[in-house]
Structure formats: C-alpha cells, structure tokens
Amino acid sequence: MIDDLPAGLEARYLTEDDHPRVLAVLDSWWGGLKGEAGSAERALLLPRLYFQHFASTGFLVERDGGEVAAFLVGFLSQTEPRAAYVHFAGVDPALHGQGVGRTLYEAFFALVRSHGRRYVHCITSPENTASQAFHTRLGFTASAVKPDYDGPGLDRVAFTIDLSSDPVATPRPV
Ligand SMILES: CC(C)(COP(=O)(O)OP(=O)(O)OC[C@H]1O[C@@H](n2cnc3c(N)ncnc32)[C@H](O)[C@@H]1OP(=O)(O)O)[C@@H](O)C(=O)NCCC(=O)NCCS
C-alpha cells in the first residue's frame, strides 16, 4: 500500500492487535526521553481507542519477519473540516535516516488529501529536538514553545503544514 519504503518493509493500516506491540516499543524508540515521567506520558498518550476507532487513518510498518518497524497514528479532525492530525509516529532507531518517517507522513498527507483535508497539525515536546528537526524538514511551520499546553508542566511546540503549498504535493527534483 506504500510503495517507496526500504526493501524488506511492508505497511498496512492499523489493527486493534497492534496496540500492545506499539506500546512495547515506545520507551526504547524514544530513548527514554524525560525518564519515568516521559514513559508514563507516552503510554497514556496512546490508549487502545486509537487502534479501534482511528485504524484506517494510521499505518503500521513491519519487517519481513513481522517485527514492528514504524507506525503513524493520525486522524481526520472532527472540528476542522479542512484539517487532519498526526497524533503519534515513530520509527525503529535502527532505521532512522532512511526516509521511513517521511514516507509515512507523505502517505498520510495523500490519504487526508483524498478526504479533502488541506492542513495537518501535530505537536511535540520542546525536549524532542529530533522530532522538531524532522517536522521542520518536512515543511511544517513550528510555533514558539506553548507553556502548559497539555496541562501543568506539559509544554508543547505545535506544527502545521498547508498541503496546498507543500513541496511533497508535487514531485521533488531528483
Ligand atoms: C522523528 C522520526 C520519526 C524521524 O524518522 P526517520 O525515518 O529517521 O526520518 P526520515 O529519514 O524520513 O527523515 C526525513 C527528513 O527529516 C530529517 N531528519 C530526521 N531526523 C532528523 C534529526 N534527528 N535531525 C535533523 N534532521 C532530521 C532527515 O534529514 C530527512 O530530511 P530529507 O528527507 O530532506 O533528507 C524518528 O527520529 C523517530 O521515530 N523518533 C522518535 C520518536 C519521535 O520523536 N516521533 C515524533 C514525535 S511523535
């Protein structure tokens, strides 16, 4: 369903059975960011409902052997008819820098465009500088740090991309 992944990787839509498998990789893939508090925060950010009710707007990437290699959890905004949202995405650190993250986001952009969505939003924590660099590279615009955005002490950086002016909407020069 996604053609341009590195060899040996296959993508499909999420299923409910993926929930524990994705939870199991979060700490190692996020490198233990923000310690125990970060670990609890990440687990709570990804309850089962995303794999039940948003399964058709998210992707799981597996290796030939079935091991989880990457995922993207996203959805179409209920309140903004022209927007979609990437809630959580991760790539196995062994695969970083090979375009897997970009490919998943581009697949999500194509999917939400087909639903008439023009904007994609997401957030990340100010400590996650890799995520900020990644989203900026993909063409997202970053906000200033928003203090207490998700509750006391939970600062966030918000990102938005306008797909109508997104360079991935047209073929990239080779
Ligand atoms: C952020 C993350 C998803 C990027 O995945 P990835 O597959 O390594 O990224 P890609 O190889 O597709 O990179 C896409 C672009 O972003 C850039 N990029 C990716 N990570 C970067 C980093 N740490 N620093 C600077 N640039 C980076 C790449 O250079 C690339 O640019 P290009 O396509 O113009 O050459 C991955 O590092 C990850 O899973 N991190 C831990 C989880 C996380 O923070 N998720 C995001 C928040 S929910």
Side-chain angles (χ1 to χ4, degrees):
M1 67 180 290
I2 300 177
D3 296 331
D4 36 3
L5 285 167
L9 300 180
E10 199 71 45
R12 58 168 172 76
Y13 292 117
L14 296 172
T15 70
E16 191 172 342
D17 290 343
D18 296 329
H19 178 236
R21 302 176 66 210
V22 170
L23 283 188
V25 301
L26 293 185
D27 277 340
S28 65
W29 287 14
W30 264 251
L33 188 73
K34 293 168 70 181
E36 276 184 29
S39 176
E41 210 183 295
R42 280 186 290 277
L44 289 171
L45 277 170
L46 215 46
R48 182 174 289 262
L49 71 90
Y50 285 104
F51 296 78
Q52 294 170 315
H53 301 290
F54 300 93
S56 59
T57 50
F59 308 110
L60 190 87
V61 178
E62 291 174 309
R63 290 191 168 82
D64 283 342
E67 193 185 340
V68 179
F71 68 91
L72 183 150
V73 174
F75 51 85
L76 305 173
S77 174
Q78 296 285 309
T79 45
E80 274 188 59
R82 295 201 297 167
Y85 191 90
V86 176
H87 177 61
F88 229 174
V91 175
D92 183 339
L95 295 165
H96 282 181
Q98 297 181 40
V100 176
R102 179 186 277 281
T103 299
L104 280 185
Y105 270 69
E106 289 182 359
F108 183 75
F109 294 163
L111 176 69
V112 302
R113 266 198 207 100
S114 75
H115 288 275
R117 306 300 166 118
R118 171 174 171 179
Y119 301 100
V120 176
H121 305 300
C122 60
I123 56 169
T124 197
S125 61
E127 294 85 355
N128 196 341
T129 51
S131 171
Q132 290 172 56
F134 168 77
H135 286 96
T136 303
R137 192 77 191 121
L138 261 60
F140 282 84
T141 302
S143 73
V145 174
K146 294 172 178 273
D148 299 332
Y149 181 85
D150 264 339
L154 299 175
D155 302 350
R156 298 288 183 253
V157 176
F159 290 93
T160 297
I161 190 168
D162 178 349
L163 299 179
S164 68
S165 58
D166 165 22
V168 304
T170 51
R172 279 185 288 159
V174 287

